[in-house]
Amino acid sequence: MNLSIATSGTSAFARASNMMDGQVYQFPRSPALCRESFARDEQICGGTDTLRVYQVVSGFVRQCHFLADGRRQIIAFHGEGEVFWCRNNSFGALAVEAVCPTTVMCFNKREGDLHGLTGPAWLALLHQAAMEQLTQAQEHAAMMCHRNAFERICAFLLAENRRAGGRGSMNLPMSRADIADYTGLTIETVSRNLTRLEQQGLIRISGQRFIEIVTPSALAAAQS
Amino acid sequence: MNLSIATSGTSAFARASNMMDGQVYQFPRSPALCRESFARDEQICGGTDTLRVYQVVSGFVRQCHFLADGRRQIIAFHGEGEVFWCRNNSFGALAVEAVCPTTVMCFNKREGDLHGLTGPAWLALLHQAAMEQLTQAQEHAAMMCHRNAFERICAFLLAENRRAGGRGSMNLPMSRADIADYTGLTIETVSRNLTRLEQQGLIRISGQRFIEIVTPSALAAAQS
DNA sequence: CGACAGATTGATATTCGTCAACAAACGTGG
DNA sequence: CCACGTTTGTTGACGAATATCAATCTGTCG
């Protein structure tokens, strides 16, 4: 796999790919040093940690808030090659968890230096990732604001398809509950709208996780 | 005024102040060079600009998307001392506008250098601001997702109170329409919930813009 | 095969957006 | 200072969208 920074598709509602725009920073292809694996639903990092930067080697992670009343808000998903970190927030606990069995590379400033990333280079790398994620978080907020349930599901499927390579078929790593907490809907509403999309012939669902997009253009038109 | 970077309270739903955490970068206290003033509702920068960084000297600005269907989404407000910039986004036009008569300082990379901010220093400055805004954008998205209209208005008022100095009374610079576009509600819903808060005795409203928080703790409890 | 978590479907309640009317504040010109 | 028109904000009635609650179904994994 490519270990360069690929924040593209980090937010499921972000643009297709931003690998082209701007420089692509390369993480060191070191041996297994700082490589860690996590089981499904296991926490990778929490809000109280000092700033460490991770990259998904294989698997899938979710970045989430846990609000005081027990509600959960998923801020972003990250797939293979994508970079993430954990930062304290003013409300609720913040954590990154494995959606399925996941392996990550872990870097901190000192280790980054050890591998040849000097201070400014490391900062530039972090900054690029931060700017990407900022754009995506803003788009996510805008999406929550002005799209209805049906449009959100369409946008979500299109974005996940892009993340999965854009082939039109994919195995969603996340559950309906994950989708609900990411789109700000309930699992029932997510389910109803997936069913509606299938009935309209825009997608095909096999099992619970495999989804095939029959007419991408119609889905794109429906997303807003 | 203090011309150091103060992204604290940039998002109306962010924590009270983050001036303490991390380094505070200093903008050059140059003469009137690159100082610009704008009238109410005037555009300060648009989506097609190259990356320029601004700091509010006096006044108040809003950062907004204009969606294809004519709707407007306010991403963030920025008050005195706060840093902002404009960055292209995948959907809709992005712009920063003056909420009221506003004066800003404008910096671009070259000018930053001229004033003694070398490349890495400039990057560090930008990076700090980006990280702050990322946190705030994520909180904003979370708020849109899982809070109802009443909770959003409570959170908005508390955050604006923090930005205004936390004294419990403030003159809101923005209109109901601005609040609506920031919270993802309609002006009617904003108005109804402000009235409800006043009827419950949590706030007092004088004129259209002046708001006094009677019981901050109750408001904090109501925000979720 | 059986048990259990996850997903779907249906009935109902609630919230918020829409439309409409009205009220208050503001600005302008006399 | 007032009169007027315009903008902005408030309030009410109603309907549509989505959450909630409940029952059932399906897939997965031991």
Side-chain angles (χ1 to χ4, degrees):
Chain A
M1 63 164 289
N2 179 10
L3 275 184
S4 62
I5 282 198
T7 43
S8 41
T10 289
S11 152
F13 299 90
R15 62 173 165 276
S17 172
N18 45 34
M19 287 293 283
M20 309 79 168
D21 69 55
Q23 204 173 341
V24 173
Y25 294 93
Q26 199 80 22
F27 261 135
R29 293 169 176 278
S30 74
L33 186 71
C34 275
R35 181 178 291 232
E36 289 182 86
S37 290
F38 298 87
R40 175 169 170 268
D41 291 334
E42 200 175 350
Q43 179 170 320
I44 296 173
C45 58
T48 57
D49 297 350
T50 55
L51 182 60
R52 291 206 290 180
V53 178
Y54 298 83
Q55 185 175 38
V56 179
V57 174
S58 68
F60 212 81
V61 305
R62 60 175 173 251
Q63 194 166 0
C64 34
H65 280 296
F66 296 99
L67 305 183
D69 58 359
R71 289 178 296 190
R72 185 183 69 162
Q73 160 66 26
I74 295 182
I75 297 292
F77 292 110
H78 301 286
E80 190 176 307
E82 292 172 26
V83 169
F84 64 91
W85 60 84
C86 218
R87 194 156 191 277
N88 271 325
N89 229 332
S90 69
F91 64 84
L94 188 59
V96 180
E97 301 174 339
V99 170
C100 55
T102 297
T103 300
V104 300
M105 294 279 282
C106 168
F107 304 84
N108 59 38
K109 193 168 169 56
R110 215 160 132 239
E111 282 159 19
D113 285 341
L114 281 178
H115 286 84
L117 287 169
T118 60
W122 175 256
L123 196 58
L125 181 155
L126 255 187
H127 183 244
Q128 189 200 353
M131 291 290 269
E132 298 293 346
Q133 294 196 17
L134 175 57
T135 299
Q136 290 160 5
Q138 290 176 343
E139 291 183 4
H140 192 200
M143 200 259 325
M144 302 308 237
C145 248
H146 287 304
R147 287 188 185 172
N148 63 26
F150 187 71
E151 293 168 343
R152 292 184 202 184
I153 296 301
C154 291
F156 174 80
L157 289 178
L158 284 167
E160 283 307 315
N161 180 48
R162 280 198 299 271
R163 193 207 299 277
R167 288 180 309 280
S169 63
M170 55 190 159
N171 225 324
L172 290 178
M174 71 290 282
S175 68
R176 298 288 188 272
D178 287 332
I179 301 174
D181 287 341
Y182 182 63
T183 54
L185 303 168
T186 60
I187 52 175
E188 292 94 333
T189 302
V190 169
S191 182
R192 271 185 255 271
N193 282 280
L194 284 174
T195 302
R196 179 177 159 196
L197 276 171
E198 192 174 28
Q199 286 172 347
Q200 293 184 356
L202 299 185
I203 65 171
R204 261 195 295 271
I205 306 177
S206 308
Q208 290 182 333
R209 299 291 180 89
F210 188 83
I211 291 187
E212 196 179 346
I213 297 177
V214 179
T215 48
S217 57
L219 207 59
Q223 84 172 327
S224 185
Chain B
M1 64 162 287
N2 180 9
L3 274 183
S4 62
I5 281 198
T7 44
S8 42
T10 290
S11 150
F13 297 89
R15 61 173 165 277
S17 172
N18 45 34
M19 287 293 284
M20 310 78 168
D21 68 59
Q23 205 174 341
V24 173
Y25 295 93
Q26 200 80 21
F27 262 134
R29 294 170 176 277
S30 73
L33 186 69
C34 275
R35 181 178 290 233
E36 288 182 86
S37 290
F38 298 88
R40 177 168 169 266
D41 291 334
E42 200 176 349
Q43 179 169 320
I44 296 173
C45 59
T48 56
D49 297 349
T50 55
L51 183 59
R52 291 206 289 179
V53 178
Y54 298 83
Q55 186 176 36
V56 178
V57 174
S58 69
F60 212 81
V61 304
R62 61 177 173 250
Q63 194 166 1
C64 35
H65 280 295
F66 295 98
L67 305 182
D69 57 1
R71 287 177 299 190
R72 184 183 69 160
Q73 159 69 26
I74 295 182
I75 298 290
F77 292 109
H78 300 287
E80 189 177 306
E82 292 173 25
V83 169
F84 64 90
W85 60 85
C86 221
R87 194 161 190 272
N88 273 325
N89 227 334
S90 70
F91 64 84
L94 188 59
V96 180
E97 301 173 339
V99 170
C100 54
T102 297
T103 300
V104 300
M105 295 277 283
C106 169
F107 304 85
N108 61 38
K109 195 168 168 53
R110 216 162 131 237
E111 282 160 19
D113 285 342
L114 281 177
H115 287 84
L117 288 170
T118 60
W122 177 256
L123 194 58
L125 182 153
L126 254 187
H127 181 244
Q128 188 199 353
M131 290 289 271
E132 298 294 345
Q133 295 197 13
L134 173 58
T135 298
Q136 290 159 6
Q138 289 177 343
E139 291 184 5
H140 191 201
M143 200 257 326
M144 302 309 236
C145 248
H146 284 306
R147 288 187 183 175
N148 62 28
F150 187 69
E151 293 168 342
R152 292 184 203 184
I153 296 302
C154 291
F156 174 79
L157 289 178
L158 284 168
E160 283 307 317
N161 180 47
R162 280 197 300 271
R163 193 206 300 276
R167 288 181 308 279
S169 63
M170 55 192 158
N171 225 324
L172 291 178
M174 71 290 283
S175 69
R176 299 287 188 273
D178 286 331
I179 300 174
D181 287 343
Y182 181 64
T183 55
L185 303 168
T186 59
I187 52 173
E188 292 94 333
T189 301
V190 169
S191 182
R192 270 186 259 271
N193 282 280
L194 284 174
T195 302
R196 181 178 158 195
L197 276 170
E198 192 174 28
Q199 286 171 347
Q200 293 183 359
L202 298 185
I203 65 171
R204 259 196 295 271
I205 306 177
S206 307
Q208 288 182 333
R209 300 290 180 90
F210 188 83
I211 291 188
E212 196 178 347
I213 298 178
V214 179
T215 50
S217 57
L219 206 60
Q223 83 172 326
S224 187

